[in-house]
Amino acid sequence: MKEILLLKLGEIVLKGANKRQFEDKLRQNVRRRMKPYGNFDVYIMQSTVYVEPEDELADVDGAWEACHSIFGVVKLCRCRPCEKDMEAIYQAVEAYLGDDLECAESFKVETKRSDKVFPLQSIAISQEIGGRLAEAHPACRVDVHNPAYTVFVEIRDLAAYVHGPAEPGAGGLPTGVGGRAMCLLSGGIDSPVAAYMIAKRGVEVECVHFFSYPYTSQLAKDKVLELARLVTRFCGRMTVNVVGFTKIQEAIRDNCPEEYFTLIMRRFMMEIAQRIAKQDGCGALITGENLGQVASQTMQAMAATGAVVDIPIFMPLIGMDKEEIVTIARKIGTLETSILPYEDCCTVFTPKHPKTKPNLGQVEHAERKLNREALIAEALESVEKITVKYHDDPLL
Ligand code: ATP
Ligand code: MG
């Protein structure tokens, strides 16, 4: 049976002169995301993306599932198209939604008529179709105020479409309309959520991960790549830059006062992340920092780590409670992987009594014995760029 997916746009319809650019981006994104599911024609009309299977082989179930995680779509519905004719509309509802009506206690019909040439008005269409459905399904009564089920009829330019209740989309803005940013991705709960939240605002996300082999294991690296893969369900393919961090951590351990270890390490992370960001055209960094969660997440510590960076640092989780972050991690499907026990390099050489209220002068003094530039240059030489896609095999 022929079906079509209609994706409804949210905020982006409000963007005035940018509307065209937003729509073009969204159409490209949807087209690319539909590729694994076969041949689909993707076009936008009247603030709606139409995703139409072009042949019998197209995997409509897979496409429908994937459309739920495309940013820029506020709601979506799976429809049956039919001719713009009352008999054809009634027959389409009966064939496509009749079973749903058999199971429901009550229903109503809601019509949207964007084709103003169609001879009947919305209310008349709803009344006529609703009346015929009520006769055909006597166990399902009409309730226009609080129906258990709603049949939707949309009279649009090309055809009429009938569908049941719409489902919520991923929201946000189409990936790519908001530029590009570099997320510092650890294996924890927070940073994948941070990447998701900024990606949701239309930003193309790239990641950097600092890896301290053999202090952290190959599994820890796979875990991070797997987290990145899970986030690509929403943001499309991404690059993960894996940076060898062992030498820097050892140099810090050997040359700096213990209470500053974490802070100095984080300053290196930020500076290296910024250098890769600039090479790759990213205009901001993203971290999963959260005020007061650990010693390195006080205002003073953030000032000391932020001082090595001159582009914006986005910290979308800064004011959230852990429970709120966990809820999002669960929703986007990263939580289970994040809580696997493989250690992050942040747990290597952790000070017993970290400095929680450092000032910049003290930190700079604590790292004076290090040859920062040489260490950074060597780390940058080690960068491994890995492309991650949602349809790659899971790594864990
Ligand atoms: P997360 O759950 O994201 O690991 P966290 O609460 O454990 O965060 P920290 O370990 O202090 O916090 O790290 C703060 C932020 O620094 C992380 O959210 C992440 O953005 C970045 N970060 C930490 N470790 C790494 C790493 N090994 N590679 C890349 N970024 C890292
Ligand atoms: Mg961490």
Side-chain angles (χ1 to χ4, degrees):
M1 177 201 305
K2 184 156 179 178
E3 278 185 302
I4 183 169
L5 313 181
L6 297 189
L7 318 182
K8 309 288 175 92
L9 314 195
E11 289 178 57
I12 81 167
V13 297
L14 304 173
K15 297 286 176 179
N18 290 332
K19 182 174 164 190
R20 182 67 197 277
Q21 182 212 340
F22 279 58
E23 289 191 348
D24 285 349
K25 202 58 162 177
L26 182 61
R27 188 178 51 229
Q28 277 170 23
N29 292 347
V30 175
R31 240 179 226 155
R32 187 160 13 86
R33 300 283 284 278
M34 290 304 103
K35 282 223 172 96
Y37 305 100
N39 294 324
F40 286 87
D41 190 13
V42 176
Y43 48 96
I44 298 191
M45 287 169 72
Q46 299 169 306
S47 298
T48 299
V49 186
Y50 293 68
V51 182
E52 189 173 348
E54 290 186 308
D55 52 45
E56 293 298 309
L57 294 175
D59 172 8
V60 180
D61 290 339
W64 171 240
E65 176 71 35
C67 284
H68 284 75
S69 39
I70 297 176
F71 291 132
V73 174
V74 278
K75 57 181 182 171
L76 57 166
C77 32
R78 202 170 162 155
C79 317
R80 173 115 191 227
C82 62
E83 267 180 50
K84 290 194 274 186
D85 160 275
M86 289 304 281
E87 180 61 26
I89 292 170
Y90 171 73
Q91 293 300 341
V93 174
E94 193 50 59
Y96 192 55
L97 306 172
D99 288 350
D100 289 357
L101 285 166
E102 279 301 301
C103 304
E105 258 178 34
S106 58
F107 83 102
K108 74 167 176 180
V109 177
E110 204 174 300
T111 303
K112 279 202 203 90
R113 185 187 59 132
S114 48
D115 170 12
K116 301 298 177 200
V117 175
F118 192 78
L120 291 177
Q121 292 200 343
S122 299
I123 294 179
I125 299 168
S126 296
Q127 281 171 344
E128 185 177 329
I129 302 287
R132 290 183 67 179
L133 289 171
E135 270 174 38
H137 302 272
C140 185
R141 69 194 153 75
V142 174
D143 181 346
V144 290
H145 299 296
N146 199 11
Y149 188 83
T150 303
V151 169
F152 292 87
V153 176
E154 300 192 33
I155 315 281
R156 292 176 160 264
D157 281 356
L158 295 180
Y161 302 86
V162 306
H163 61 89
E167 293 189 6
L173 301 173
T175 303
V177 297
R180 199 173 166 84
M182 177 71 73
C183 181
L184 286 85
L185 188 68
S186 73
I189 295 174
D190 302 337
S191 43
V193 173
Y196 160 83
M197 287 181 69
I198 298 301
K200 188 171 180 193
R201 297 311 299 165
V203 175
E204 220 173 294
V205 172
E206 178 170 333
C207 290
V208 55
H209 176 65
F210 298 91
F211 178 56
S212 285
Y213 190 79
Y215 300 106
T216 55
S217 65
Q218 179 64 37
L219 277 172
K221 178 175 155 187
D222 288 348
K223 175 181 176 183
V224 169
L225 293 173
E226 174 62 6
L227 285 169
R229 188 187 73 81
L230 293 170
V231 176
T232 62
R233 171 149 75 100
F234 298 93
C235 62
R237 64 163 58 200
M238 69 156 89
T239 302
V240 181
N241 299 271
V242 179
V243 182
F245 207 50
T246 316
K247 271 233 167 130
I248 290 177
Q249 288 203 284
E250 288 174 343
I252 297 171
R253 177 196 62 191
D254 297 341
N255 294 290
C256 304
E258 184 184 309
E259 57 186 342
Y260 290 98
F261 280 2
T262 310
L263 267 168
I264 296 173
M265 179 193 76
R266 296 196 49 71
R267 280 162 57 85
F268 273 101
M269 285 186 178
M270 296 300 253
E271 190 156 356
I272 293 167
Q274 165 164 269
R275 301 245 189 136
I276 306 173
K278 286 183 177 175
Q279 278 166 14
D280 289 5
C282 299
L285 300 181
I286 306 166
T287 74
E289 281 165 293
N290 176 247
L291 199 57
Q293 197 186 77
V294 290
S296 59
Q297 296 178 11
T298 64
M299 278 183 218
Q300 294 84 350
M302 286 181 201
T305 45
V308 296
V309 172
D310 59 20
I311 55 178
I313 304 172
F314 295 151
M315 304 177 180
L317 316 186
I318 197 72
M320 293 169 74
D321 288 344
K322 194 74 192 182
E323 208 34 58
E324 296 172 286
I325 301 171
V326 166
T327 303
I328 301 175
R330 192 175 287 124
K331 184 182 91 178
I332 65 172
T334 53
L335 183 66
E336 275 186 31
T337 303
S338 287
I339 59 181
L340 293 172
Y342 319 123
E343 305 252 288
D344 180 57
C345 68
C346 286
T347 60
V348 176
F349 317 137
T350 33
K352 283 193 202 70
H353 303 289
K355 194 85 180 161
T356 55
K357 293 189 179 165
N359 70 47
L360 190 54
Q362 291 169 331
V363 184
E364 284 172 348
H365 187 260
E367 56 184 32
R368 75 190 182 289
K369 287 194 195 150
L370 301 175
N371 186 345
R372 284 184 62 87
E373 201 43 53
L375 287 166
I376 290 173
E378 198 181 332
L380 287 172
E381 297 261 297
S382 78
V383 174
E384 184 189 357
K385 281 192 176 300
I386 301 174
T387 304
V388 178
K389 300 188 295 295
Y390 189 60
H391 291 275
D392 290 343
D393 290 335
L395 277 162
L396 294 174

